[in-house]
Amino acid sequence: FGGGADAMDWELFRGDESLSGYTRRSLPERPTLKWSHKSGVRTISSPVVKGGTAYWCDVKGVVRGVSLQGEPTFEFDLGTPVEATPLLHDSMLYIGTTEGRLNALSLSRCDTLWSYGTEGQISASPNRVQFDGRDAIVFGSYDNYLYCVDQLSGEFLNRFVSGYYINGAVAVKDKYALFGGCDAWLRVIDCAEGVMTDSLQMTGYIPSSAALADEFAYVGDYTGNIYEIELGDGRILGQRVVIEADDGGEYVSVPAVSPTTIYVLTSDKYLHAIDRKSGERKWKYLLKGTVGESSPVVADDAVVVCTRTGVVSVLDAESGELRWEYDAGEQIVASPAVVKDHFYILTSRGTLLCFGEDEK
């Protein structure tokens, strides 16, 4: 687990295929705003990063790239609205559109190499999965299907019908994909066969993605329950509730999971830290402003978390003590991206903020 092999990469929505939101990289000790880049166009996407260059797509369908020095380096118009966060891999950007197409965009050629069509909106980031010696892209659509397509060609490999539209990004471990839905079912899918290997019905609908760590998945339902699910070879082996529904607010973001702790953001404005072994709460911290869809990220010994109101907070991962705070002045629904010595925050107005070490 940890945000990609290269220290300057953050290629997926939550850093890696597990959607854990955890990296061993450290945040700057004294963060300062190095620069900001204003596109002026509304965006729901989170930033992804390759070689220090951050990429995202706005709701009008324009893909942008900005270097670590704050210089625009890439722009491409897909010509159709986009809400989803892209996936980066091998100088390719994979992104879904609201009209239901997954596009493979070459960053070097600045051109679309292939496009795969579904019958419904694609609202979440795609993910990568490997099976039978081939690399595939896995993603959900509002047409109720989970799709696997070949990473290089876009060739259809298989699909699974869930019975309800798929809104969140799927988490991947080995050849298995795990996702929840508005029908309150958590499903485990064998991507090589396109078949479900296990499922579990929750108390309420599942508004966001699960996060995987080791042999466990952490996922919440809209009633406020947060579950730890034990997994093994595509099967659900056990479960327990680590936060009760009456112990917090509704849950709409993805948990962040370190080797020892689960970090969960609830609508009552609290960030909760739960010990993974004992299930006991270590601490909870009251954030400033309204909490939204932005999900926390754990970077070594610190947690960076954003409120919808626009307040960015860095907390000590062990004690919950506030280390640093910044008011962006604009709404934030995107999740942070962390690379070596820097982290990126993207606002809903399309402003990319880059924070680094205060050299003074």
Side-chain angles (χ1 to χ4, degrees), residues 1-3 10 14 16 18-24 209-219 226-229 242 251 254-264 271-277 295-300 302-303 317:
F1 47 149
W10 186 269
R14 300 289 291 150
D16 58 22
S18 69
L19 307 187
S20 67
Y22 170 76
T23 176
R24 294 184 178 89
S209 303
L212 307 182
D214 306 317
E215 301 303 320
F216 295 93
Y218 297 90
V219 63
I226 306 295
Y227 297 84
E228 179 186 75
I229 312 292
V242 293
Y251 158 92
V254 186
V257 190
S258 78
T260 61
T261 310
I262 317 152
Y263 300 89
V264 178
L271 180 67
H272 304 255
I274 308 297
D275 186 275
R276 287 181 58 190
K277 186 175 182 180
S295 301
V297 167
V298 188
D300 191 25
V303 186

Side-chain angles (χ1 to χ4, degrees), residues 26-32 314 323 341-343 355-358:
S26 299
L27 295 178
E29 290 187 14
R30 299 175 301 277
T32 187
V314 174
R323 292 186 180 179
D341 301 327
H342 297 80
F343 63 98
F355 297 94
E357 187 64 53
D358 184 353

Side-chain angles (χ1 to χ4, degrees), residues 111-351:
D111 193 14
T112 302
L113 297 191
W114 56 259
S115 182
Y116 183 88
T118 74
E119 298 299 321
Q121 173 177 321
I122 301 172
S123 62
S125 175
N127 208 334
R128 297 180 61 239
V129 65
Q130 295 179 315
F131 54 84
D132 299 336
R134 70 191 310 165
D135 297 320
I137 304 296
V138 57
F139 62 98
S141 169
Y142 274 32
D143 65 5
N144 302 348
Y145 282 100
L146 181 74
Y147 291 88
C148 277
V149 299
D150 186 86
Q151 181 176 295
L152 295 178
S153 66
E155 173 192 358
F156 171 81
L157 300 178
N158 58 58
R159 66 181 185 177
F160 167 79
V161 60
S162 69
Y164 214 89
Y165 60 77
I166 301 172
N167 181 65
V170 301
V172 170
K173 181 177 175 60
D174 300 325
K175 65 174 181 174
Y176 299 103
L178 185 143
F179 67 95
C182 290
D183 58 356
W185 282 93
L186 183 72
R187 294 178 171 87
V188 184
I189 308 300
D190 182 335
C191 293
E193 304 294 335
V195 298
M196 184 170 68
T197 56
D198 214 338
S199 62
L200 177 68
Q201 188 171 25
M202 307 299 222
T203 306
Y205 78 84
I206 304 166
S208 193
S209 303
L212 307 182
D214 306 317
E215 301 303 320
F216 295 93
Y218 297 90
V219 63
D221 63 35
Y222 195 68
T223 67
N225 288 317
I226 306 295
Y227 297 84
E228 179 186 75
I229 312 292
E230 185 177 3
L231 303 171
D233 196 25
R235 299 292 178 180
I236 295 173
L237 306 180
Q239 60 164 305
R240 65 171 173 167
V241 176
V242 293
I243 294 182
E244 297 281 356
D246 58 357
D247 197 26
E250 291 86 3
Y251 158 92
V252 293
S253 69
V254 186
V257 190
S258 78
T260 61
T261 310
I262 317 152
Y263 300 89
V264 178
L265 189 58
T266 49
S267 66
D268 58 358
K269 303 181 182 180
Y270 279 97
L271 180 67
H272 304 255
I274 308 297
D275 186 275
R276 287 181 58 190
K277 186 175 182 180
S278 67
E280 296 180 356
R281 181 189 286 113
K282 291 183 174 183
W283 51 262
K284 68 176 184 178
Y285 182 84
L286 182 62
L287 297 163
K288 294 179 180 178
T290 303
V291 171
E293 297 86 348
S294 180
S295 301
V297 167
V298 188
D300 191 25
D301 62 349
V303 186
V304 57
V305 60
C306 306
T307 62
R308 176 183 281 271
T309 307
V311 177
V312 184
S313 303
V314 174
L315 309 175
D316 185 278
E318 188 61 31
S319 68
E321 179 182 351
L322 180 66
R323 292 186 180 179
W324 175 84
E325 198 170 69
Y326 180 87
D327 189 346
E330 299 177 5
Q331 285 192 349
I332 300 172
V333 297
S335 296
V338 178
V339 297
K340 183 181 179 183
D341 301 327
H342 297 80
F343 63 98
Y344 296 95
I345 304 293
L346 183 60
T347 76
S348 298
R349 291 185 183 176
T351 301

